[in-house]
Amino acid sequence: MTKPWTVVDSVAIGDGRLELRQRGARDFLITLGGLVLMNSVANRSEIVLGQRGCSHLHGRVAARVLIGGLGMGCTLRAVLDTLPADAEVMVAELNPVVLDWCRGPLAGLTGGAVHDPRVHVAITDVADLVRRAAAGSPGKFDAIIFDLYHGPHFHSDAQHDPLYGSLAIARVRQALRPGGVFAVWGENYEAGFVRRLEAGGFAVTTERPGRGGLRHVVFRAQLPPRVTPPVAGRQRP
């Protein structure tokens, strides 16, 4: 007989009631208004998101990464496992209770990823941190990763959506160092979002991790590296 779910914790937020549910030692759900947002045994796309978002940073000295959305910490764990020891990871999470869950009942799923000395979690909107980085404060990132429960949709405002519109993409570009990567989790493939990324100067690839069933999408958009201009007066050999 399947074990019933028990509610570990529950809090009312603007979009409804956010709950952490558990059955068994490592089987968790995060739900919002009764709808499942995250499942601890179906997280392949989140892991691939973290890996692809930071795969270009092997050996990079003092890499800086911004993650929008903490969730169960699976994307964060994948990022940490991909990055060198001197990296810095900023996580933006809107709901402080999610951080409490990752420090407490969910910690065993990720080896206590939020306690890693490379990690700082800010209770804020990731769009605000992108705006600050685009303006040069405190500095730019080598990767920006969005793991939010609302990915890009066909009904996203093509210009003004605060996360996925063309103006937001322009800010992401300004917030990234040359060669930087913008990686985004989505429920489904969204052609309009890909077109906006490409128009913003990114080279884009997408994939659906895993096999069979409902497979979510990982969008990976990379900026070109800085090209060093030729030295004046030097002739080509």
Side-chain angles (χ1 to χ4, degrees):
M1 181 180 295
T2 303
K3 293 182 179 179
W5 291 100
T6 60
V7 177
V8 178
D9 196 12
S10 177
V11 61
I13 63 173
D15 293 331
R17 183 157 291 276
L18 189 67
E19 291 186 346
L20 177 64
R21 302 180 185 182
Q22 181 179 10
R23 64 178 183 190
R26 298 178 64 84
D27 199 355
F28 291 91
L29 297 177
I30 293 179
T31 65
L32 179 60
L35 299 176
V36 176
L37 300 183
M38 280 155 271
N39 185 331
S40 63
V41 298
N43 55 18
R44 177 63 181 163
S45 59
E46 289 92 338
I47 293 170
V48 171
L49 174 68
Q51 293 170 338
R52 300 292 186 268
C54 296
S55 60
H56 64 303
L57 298 177
H58 292 294
R60 179 73 58 87
V61 175
R64 299 187 73 237
V65 176
L66 172 62
I67 301 175
L70 177 58
M72 292 185 177
C74 298
T75 297
L76 174 60
R77 179 73 268 166
V79 165
L80 293 172
D81 289 345
T82 306
L83 290 174
D86 64 347
E88 175 189 352
V89 182
M90 171 74 74
V91 182
E93 171 55 51
L94 285 175
N95 298 295
V97 69
V98 174
L99 177 56
D100 292 339
W101 295 343
C102 285
R103 286 172 170 166
L106 295 174
L109 296 177
T110 64
V114 294
H115 299 294
D116 190 291
R118 293 171 288 178
V119 175
H120 174 71
V121 181
I123 305 302
T124 189
D125 188 336
V126 68
D128 291 338
L129 294 186
V130 170
R131 290 188 190 95
R132 289 171 53 190
S137 175
K140 297 192 176 186
F141 294 97
D142 297 289
I144 295 175
I145 299 170
F146 284 2
D147 183 16
L148 306 171
Y149 65 84
H150 286 311
H153 282 274
F154 68 91
H155 52 71
S156 299
D157 188 299
Q159 183 175 10
H160 297 289
D161 187 280
L163 297 170
Y164 309 118
S166 57
L167 296 178
I169 289 170
R171 286 191 291 270
V172 168
R173 177 175 182 134
Q174 293 170 347
L176 284 169
R177 293 170 176 164
V181 166
F182 181 32
V184 177
W185 179 93
E187 295 95 332
N188 295 289
Y189 178 82
E190 171 45 37
F193 180 55
V194 171
R195 288 194 295 268
R196 293 193 293 276
L197 289 169
E198 292 174 338
F202 290 90
V204 184
T205 60
T206 64
E207 65 178 291
R208 293 180 180 270
R211 297 180 180 178
L214 177 62
R215 291 183 294 159
H216 298 129
V217 180
V218 172
F219 301 85
R220 186 183 190 272
Q222 185 164 18
L223 290 176
R226 179 183 287 119
V227 177
T228 304
V231 177
R234 180 179 293 176
Q235 295 182 349
R236 292 181 180 179

